[in-house]
Amino acid sequence: MMKHFLILLTTLLPVLAFESDAPVSKLNGAFRQTKNKYGAMTQWKTRDSVTVIKVFRDGYWLGAYYDDKRQSKLPFDGACGGTYELENGKYVEKVGFYSWDSTAVGSVFSFDYKVSDKQYEQFGVMNSEKYPNYPINEVSERIKPTEPLKNNGLEGVWFMKEGDWGGSGRLGEGKYKNMQVIKIFSYPMVVYAYYNPSTKQFNGAGGAMYQFDGKTLTETNEFWSWQPDGKRKGTAESFKISLENSQYVQQGWEGKLREVFVKAPAPAKE
């Protein structure tokens, strides 16, 4: 009898392990925080003075704080991002950039999580030099689109291969030397960030609500760190898009902007 039990147990264990590792696409979407409980807080606090978003797509994530209405604060407060896995029922997050604390870059945190059509919940502890053993508890609502996406060709995660912004710079040169640029389309939001992986320094980030019809990308700005006063919010910009296989070219700014993006690889397992 014991022998049969052991055989059954060894047969079931791989199945149970497999079932507990959900595909990373389970989290795909954009979410806006509604309440939180950080650090020593004992009660949940409604998120009302700052807009906090977190966008997930295919193993990559980006979070941002903006529309900051607190006294003596600029509207843009910061951004962070990296990669994630869903492993053994946990959300496991690796930090690739973190504007508030470069010592957090490279850290891996494991959180309990829940996700549905309506919201995302995350519970756990982060640990860095600046924030040692710091409890993080968050509840966020899913950001719903106001209209269907016309063409899903850009949905996913992309890294910039080439970038030319007229007289203001070129990727790989000057202040953009060794810079990595990620852009995540997770309808209805697109978010992007510039950071230096070798120095762990954050350069900037932006986000917008977007629509794509196969040829034209329209971004309606939500935040843009390079103009942190928030006055760009609501501004709509259109870009010409040429999409082919795992690459797309984005052109705009009356011919001054030309960017080439390639599809991001699946994040490496830890």
Side-chain angles (χ1 to χ4, degrees):
M1 184 68 179
M2 179 60 71
K3 182 179 180 180
H4 289 164
F5 174 75
L6 290 174
I7 293 173
L8 179 62
L9 184 62
T10 55
T11 303
L12 283 175
L13 282 176
V15 176
L16 292 173
F18 175 79
E19 290 181 344
S20 65
D21 291 351
V24 291
S25 59
K26 181 179 180 180
L27 296 191
N28 284 357
F31 300 85
R32 181 187 297 108
Q33 192 181 115
T34 56
K35 62 180 180 178
N36 63 78
K37 189 167 59 173
Y38 294 144
M41 293 168 55
T42 58
Q43 300 293 324
W44 286 95
K45 179 182 178 182
T46 300
R47 176 64 76 182
D48 54 6
S49 58
V50 186
T51 297
V52 179
I53 58 100
K54 194 164 189 177
V55 178
F56 301 97
R57 187 75 198 195
D58 303 335
Y60 292 84
W61 66 276
L62 186 150
Y65 286 54
Y66 62 99
D67 283 353
D68 197 330
K69 300 177 179 62
R70 294 173 294 182
Q71 191 173 7
S72 302
K73 288 276 192 176
L74 288 170
F76 177 79
D77 189 61
C80 51
T83 59
Y84 69 91
E85 300 174 23
L86 299 180
E87 189 174 64
N88 296 323
K90 301 280 188 177
Y91 165 69
V92 182
E93 177 177 283
K94 183 173 183 178
V95 180
F97 59 92
Y98 198 83
S99 68
W100 304 275
D101 177 14
S102 63
T103 70
V105 175
S107 298
V108 177
F109 305 121
S110 180
F111 296 92
D112 293 315
Y113 77 96
K114 295 179 183 178
V115 65
S116 69
D117 289 341
K118 294 183 178 180
Q119 67 182 33
Y120 171 74
E121 302 174 45
Q122 180 176 309
F123 313 98
V125 176
M126 73 170 289
N127 195 356
S128 70
E129 291 181 20
K130 189 174 180 180
Y131 299 103
N133 298 312
Y134 191 72
I136 300 283
N137 301 286
E138 301 168 325
V139 176
S140 302
E141 63 183 0
R142 188 181 291 272
I143 300 173
K144 297 288 189 178
T146 57
E147 61 178 348
L149 179 60
K150 295 176 182 177
N151 185 297
N152 66 1
L154 294 180
E155 282 290 277
V157 184
W158 306 79
F159 283 108
M160 190 182 291
K161 178 183 177 182
E162 301 173 24
D164 194 326
W165 305 283
S168 62
R170 181 177 295 172
L171 186 68
E173 299 179 2
K175 62 183 178 181
Y176 298 108
K177 188 175 182 179
N178 299 321
M179 196 72 68
Q180 185 159 297
V181 182
I182 187 172
K183 194 162 188 177
I184 303 173
F185 290 88
S186 196
Y187 192 69
M189 283 203 78
V190 54
V191 289
Y192 46 93
Y194 290 57
Y195 58 99
N196 188 321
S198 58
T199 64
K200 301 182 179 181
Q201 294 304 302
F202 170 79
N203 176 267
M209 300 300 175
Y210 91 95
Q211 181 57 270
F212 180 55
D213 64 7
K215 295 182 179 180
T216 301
L217 167 66
T218 302
E219 297 181 351
T220 303
N221 184 269
E222 279 285 302
F223 64 94
W224 205 65
S225 69
W226 298 276
Q227 188 178 334
D229 59 13
K231 292 182 179 179
R232 281 179 62 97
K233 184 170 182 180
T235 301
E237 289 187 284
S238 293
F239 302 93
K240 179 182 176 182
I241 300 294
S242 300
L243 178 64
E244 186 174 351
N245 298 325
S246 297
Q247 178 173 294
Y248 83 86
V249 179
Q250 179 171 326
Q251 299 179 78
W253 293 2
E254 298 180 344
K256 295 179 182 178
L257 176 147
R258 185 181 185 275
E259 300 170 335
V260 180
F261 289 87
V262 293
K263 208 63 178 282
K269 292 281 187 179
E270 288 300 314

